[in-house]
Amino acid sequence: MESSQAIDVFAALSQSTRLDVFRLLMEHEPEGLAAGEIARRLEVPQNTMSSHLAILTRAGLIEAERHSRSIIYRAVVERVREIASFLVQDCCGGRPELCEPLVAEFTPCCSPKESSHV
């Protein structure tokens, strides 16, 4: 990720409603939510929400897909990985053991599910 792209991501998330939208969509991965449902849950007028969704989309944090008469928005999880990697790419000066606590923060919520096909 280039610095300019990271700045776009941080700028998009630097407003409280957009941060709330992004966190809500991360919570509802992989199904996503309809634009109207996002506006309703966050108690934001739909025209205002439309502007916020456009900014998040331009930053590559969310994507939209039309389903019948609704537009479903989803978080772009790959973008989360990119921004996290950007932030820690030079972590700890080549001493990975110093970054272990940081990595451990993500493990409880993101550990792969064990397969029951043994």
Side-chain angles (χ1 to χ4, degrees):
M1 174 176 281
E2 300 287 325
S3 290
S4 62
Q5 294 171 318
I7 290 167
D8 290 343
V9 167
F10 292 127
L13 295 174
S14 69
Q15 197 277 343
S16 62
T17 301
R18 291 192 296 267
L19 182 59
D20 291 344
V21 167
F22 183 72
R23 294 187 72 190
L24 180 65
L25 289 174
M26 285 295 292
E27 185 180 326
H28 285 86
E29 268 303 301
E31 308 85 28
L33 288 172
E37 181 64 12
I38 297 167
R40 186 189 68 74
R41 288 184 185 211
L42 297 179
E43 299 177 344
V44 174
Q46 288 192 3
N47 61 338
T48 303
M49 182 56 68
S50 179
S51 297
H52 290 307
L53 292 169
I55 291 167
L56 290 167
T57 301
R58 280 193 300 275
L61 289 163
I62 65 172
E63 58 190 9
E65 184 177 322
R66 182 168 289 283
H67 285 254
S68 184
R69 295 174 53 192
S70 296
I71 298 176
I72 304 299
Y73 284 88
R74 295 186 56 230
V76 178
V77 177
E78 176 63 17
R79 194 64 157 178
V80 175
R81 187 201 60 75
E82 289 173 358
I83 196 66
S85 293
F86 173 82
L87 288 172
V88 298
Q89 76 184 33
D90 298 319
C91 181
C92 307
R95 295 176 51 205
E97 69 277 4
L98 296 176
C99 293
E100 285 177 14
L102 176 65
V103 173
E105 287 278 331
F106 294 106
T107 304
C109 74
C110 301
S111 58
K113 304 277 189 262
E114 286 191 28
S115 175
S116 60
H117 302 91
V118 180

